[in-house]
Amino acid sequence: MIKTKNISEMLTSLIEEYRFNKNTLSKYLEITEETIDGVVMGNVECLLDDPALRLKILSKAGFLYFGAIEDKDRQLSGFLEVLVSYHGISKLTIAKMAGVEENDIDRLLANPPEKVEIEVKYKIAVTVMELRFWLKDCELPI
């Protein structure tokens, strides 16, 4: 079970435990490094007053934090699901592009994902990363 954390704890964990670059974090969250330092110290009042912007910052920080702690097979399965469901790319197409069998894609899409050989998983992951990179402009912004 994942323990719920507030934004101060998430940012602290990203910076201290995962050694996330603060400058990159600042650009991604669209806030200054000084604001990040303030939030890490527990001062969430230094965040913007606009509730929509606060939610956007919290969501983006959560995406990074939960991405760090999430099971990697589940993450790969989730990204595969976006390609299949949102972009309408067939499992067969992804399998052919990755040089694997379609049933390997099915096994990763199972809930929970089934065991797949590491070499096969690597080929699928590289293909998924490439497709998501090229198709990112077709997805709705956060």
Side-chain angles (χ1 to χ4, degrees):
M1 184 166 151
I2 296 174
K3 181 182 180 283
T4 304
K5 293 194 175 207
N6 64 41
I7 190 166
S8 297
E9 293 169 322
M10 285 189 281
L11 291 179
T12 299
S13 183
L14 286 168
I15 294 165
E16 293 179 3
E17 186 176 345
Y18 295 101
R19 304 288 188 226
F20 207 91
N21 180 291
K22 202 183 302 184
N23 181 267
T24 301
L25 193 57
S26 168
K27 290 176 186 175
Y28 175 68
L29 296 176
E30 300 176 50
I31 57 178
T32 66
E33 288 185 44
E34 291 77 22
T35 301
I36 290 171
D37 289 338
V39 173
V40 164
M41 298 302 287
N43 179 14
V44 294
E45 298 306 315
C46 65
L47 291 173
L48 305 169
D49 288 333
D50 182 346
L53 291 175
R54 280 180 174 232
L55 179 60
K56 182 179 178 182
I57 292 167
L58 177 62
S59 297
K60 290 173 96 176
F63 293 147
L64 286 178
Y65 174 75
F66 288 108
I69 66 170
E70 179 76 39
D71 175 74
K72 302 310 175 200
D73 285 352
R74 282 195 188 275
Q75 282 182 318
L76 179 55
S77 178
F79 285 122
L80 263 171
E81 186 62 40
V82 169
L83 292 173
V84 172
S85 298
Y86 184 87
H87 292 290
I89 299 174
S90 74
K91 294 181 280 185
L92 180 60
T93 297
I94 296 168
K96 286 187 173 286
M97 290 181 75
V100 301
E101 299 297 320
E102 187 175 4
N103 70 341
D104 294 321
I105 303 296
D106 287 329
R107 289 172 33 218
L108 275 173
L109 286 172
N111 190 13
E114 297 174 13
K115 293 290 183 198
V116 176
E117 299 78 30
I118 193 72
E119 182 179 329
V120 170
K121 197 182 306 184
Y122 172 79
K123 289 178 180 182
I124 294 170
V126 169
T127 302
V128 167
M129 287 181 351
E130 179 182 29
L131 286 169
R132 289 293 308 271
F133 177 79
W134 296 121
L135 296 172
K136 70 180 183 263
D137 293 339
C138 300
E139 297 177 15
L140 297 173
I142 296 175

